[in-house]
Amino acid sequence: EEIDSKSIVESKGDCLRYDIPLAKTERPSNIAAIKVSYDPHLTGARNLAKKIANLQSTLDREGKGIWLEVGDTLASQQSQQKKKRENEIRLWRNYFLLSIFFTIPIFVITIGRSKENFRDVILRRVFDQYSLTWEALLLFILSTPVQFVPGQRFVSSAIKSIRHGSASMDVLIALGSSVAYFYSIFSVFMAFACGTSWHCTVFFDTSAMLITVVLLGRMMEHSTKGRTSEALTKLMTLQPKMAVLVKIPPADQTQLFGCENLKEAKADQKVALKPVDVERMLVTYPTETISIHLVQRGDVLLVKRGATIPV
């Protein structure tokens, strides 16, 4: 709901009235709280905080109260993104551990084909009247969890990509592993249907090893992205938390900066102040240390030599 600067927002539960210029308000189902987003060209977080603070004494007398929260949106988003990355890394790691648990025996069976004694054992028929071998049966049992637990993630992603008319790497992975697995299922079924006349050839090992190798790559990829994001997050924590506000009346802004209201100044407008004017300004006008989240458009901030600009 868009409202203009003359509109009044009212909370029916606590009868709060905000007669400050707002741009948009979001009222949750619980009317005990109101979340307000504002247009920085019209007002700022500090004006909102002052207005709400003026209502505090009135509400205290009525047995009501205000919980004012000037949130660090960036820090909150970073915290949520960090948790999301950690969950992603943990998920891919668990998928990989599950897959490698079943793939190692598959690899041993595959390599064992070159050993004559081992080959004689695994190539024996499970039933004399069918061509199904112990190798095919063991590979089916070991590859099925890999195909339907971690492999299902690639299939789901592939289906979403196809619905959107695109073909990602997940489509190739899902297609390759599924063809190898389901052809092997078909070969096992034909071994029971046709008896000894059907030569049972399976590719369960191809499906499981393909999924395992890709899972290893995905796990390493997400781990690397997580470390890179953490480095960027630590870099952003170097941002100053406080700013020094110089309180200059609007009438004096015309003499100092050439405009009565700094909010109306253009973005590329430059103002050259003489050192004498700066010294007189610091002596004449009071300063206040405020949170960087309360800095708003049109403020004059004092940045001392060697200090970080509070942006």
Side-chain angles (χ1 to χ4, degrees), residues 79-311:
S79 177
Q80 294 177 1
Q81 292 176 358
K82 182 179 179 181
K83 291 180 180 179
K84 185 178 179 179
R85 288 194 303 268
E86 291 176 350
N87 293 335
E88 284 288 332
I89 294 173
R90 189 181 303 111
L91 178 64
W92 286 108
R93 183 175 62 247
N94 293 339
Y95 277 155
F96 174 73
L97 293 177
L98 174 65
S99 182
I100 198 67
F101 177 79
F102 291 100
T103 304
I104 290 177
I106 293 175
F107 180 76
V108 172
I109 294 174
T110 304
I111 295 299
R113 295 173 183 171
S114 60
K115 303 297 181 180
E116 183 176 355
N117 295 335
F118 189 77
R119 182 172 64 249
D120 294 340
V121 174
I122 63 174
L123 293 182
R124 289 179 182 176
R125 295 178 180 177
V126 180
F127 305 101
D128 294 336
Q129 65 271 29
Y130 303 112
S131 61
L132 179 66
T133 62
W134 282 105
E135 178 192 27
L137 180 61
L138 291 175
L139 292 179
F140 164 71
I141 295 174
L142 294 171
S143 64
T144 298
V146 179
Q147 178 68 30
F148 289 101
V149 180
Q152 183 62 30
R153 188 175 180 89
F154 297 110
V155 176
S156 301
S157 179
I159 293 174
K160 292 179 181 178
S161 298
I162 294 175
R163 287 178 177 176
H164 289 84
S166 61
S168 62
M169 183 61 67
D170 291 338
V171 175
L172 299 177
I173 298 169
L175 184 62
S177 60
S178 298
V179 168
Y181 179 83
F182 288 106
Y183 172 79
S184 301
I185 291 290
F186 171 77
S187 182
V188 171
F189 174 78
M190 293 300 294
F192 283 101
C194 301
T196 57
S197 62
W198 177 266
H199 181 66
C200 185
T201 303
V202 295
F203 300 97
F204 291 117
D205 54 335
T206 302
S207 171
M209 290 183 181
L210 173 62
I211 293 174
T212 302
V213 171
V214 175
L215 286 173
L216 175 61
R218 291 292 176 87
M219 183 185 67
M220 296 174 62
E221 176 187 358
H222 282 78
S223 298
T224 303
K225 287 182 178 179
R227 289 193 295 268
T228 304
S229 299
E230 288 180 2
L232 294 176
T233 301
K234 291 180 181 179
L235 182 61
M236 297 185 70
T237 56
L238 299 177
Q239 180 187 26
K241 304 298 182 182
M242 307 299 291
V244 179
L245 174 66
V246 182
K247 299 180 178 180
I248 303 178
D252 296 345
Q253 291 183 6
T254 304
Q255 180 181 0
L256 291 172
F257 305 107
C259 57
E260 183 178 353
N261 192 346
L262 289 178
K263 294 182 182 180
E264 301 174 357
K266 299 180 180 179
D268 57 350
Q269 182 176 348
K270 297 181 180 179
V271 179
L273 295 179
K274 298 179 181 180
V276 178
D277 295 333
V278 176
E279 293 179 0
R280 183 173 60 85
M281 181 178 62
L282 297 179
V283 173
T284 306
Y285 305 109
T287 60
E288 179 184 0
T289 302
I290 62 175
S291 171
I292 192 174
H293 305 298
L294 297 178
V295 176
Q296 57 193 33
R297 183 181 176 87
D299 285 344
V300 178
L301 304 179
L302 173 63
V303 181
K304 297 182 180 180
R305 181 177 299 178
T308 305
I309 299 177
V311 294

Side-chain angles (χ1 to χ4, degrees), residues 48-63:
L48 292 171
K50 289 181 178 179
K51 203 67 178 182
I52 295 175
N54 292 336
L55 296 172
Q56 184 64 58
S57 57
T58 303
L59 292 176
D60 288 342
R61 290 194 299 269
E62 297 177 0

